[in-house]
């Protein structure tokens, strides 16, 4: 540990401080544990998981709306097989969709 970590305030008495800084001692202890390999990381240095940018709603995009409309059209025309239904058109239709 460097002298700077334990630099004393000249306004304090030369003996032991009247109130030891428990928070600073805990921080230095955690840093030493990380350096010694006892802990993988310092939990105080890990950012919160909530700090990320909010994820945009995919259902609001134009591409999603177009794909959804296409799926509905294919379902309505019987071109998309539905699970549980054994009704298949054979041969598949190749007619113009307009």
């Amino acid at each position: 540990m460097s002298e700077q970590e334990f630099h004393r305030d000249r306004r304090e008495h030369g003996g032991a401080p009247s109130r030891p800084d428990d928070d600073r001692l805990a921080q230095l202890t955690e840093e030493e544990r990380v350096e010694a390999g006892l802990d993988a990381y310092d939990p105080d240095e890990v950012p919160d998981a909530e700090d990320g940018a909010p994820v945009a709603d995919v259902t609001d995009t134009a591409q999603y709306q177009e794909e959804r409309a296409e799926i509905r059209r294919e379902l309505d025309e019987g071109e998309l097989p539905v699970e549980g239904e054994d009704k298949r058109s054979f041969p598949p239709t190749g007619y113009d969709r307009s």
Side-chain angles (χ1 to χ4, degrees), residues 9 13 18 27 32 40 43 46 58 60 64 77-78 80-81 90-91 95:
D9 187 359
H13 184 269
S18 59
Q27 180 183 5
E32 286 179 1
V46 177
V58 176
D60 292 336
Y64 178 87
E77 293 183 12
L80 190 64
F90 186 80
Y95 297 110

Side-chain angles (χ1 to χ4, degrees), residues 32-85:
E32 286 179 1
R33 290 181 61 83
V34 172
E35 287 176 16
L38 299 174
D39 288 343
Y41 59 91
D42 184 356
D44 294 334
E45 294 178 3
V46 177
D48 292 335
E50 303 172 337
D51 290 343
V55 178
D57 188 11
V58 176
T59 60
D60 292 336
T61 63
Q63 181 180 358
Y64 178 87
Q65 297 298 330
E66 290 171 9
E67 295 294 331
R68 184 177 173 140
E70 177 66 18
I71 290 171
R72 285 187 176 178
R73 186 199 60 74
E74 289 179 4
L75 277 172
D76 291 343
E77 293 183 12
E79 295 177 5
L80 190 64
V82 178
E83 189 175 328
E85 255 185 51

Side-chain angles (χ1 to χ4, degrees), residues 16-33:
S18 59
R19 291 186 217 137
D21 188 358
D22 291 334
D23 294 333
R24 180 71 178 140
L25 181 60
Q27 180 183 5
L28 291 173
T29 303
E30 187 60 39
E31 289 173 6
E32 286 179 1
R33 290 181 61 83

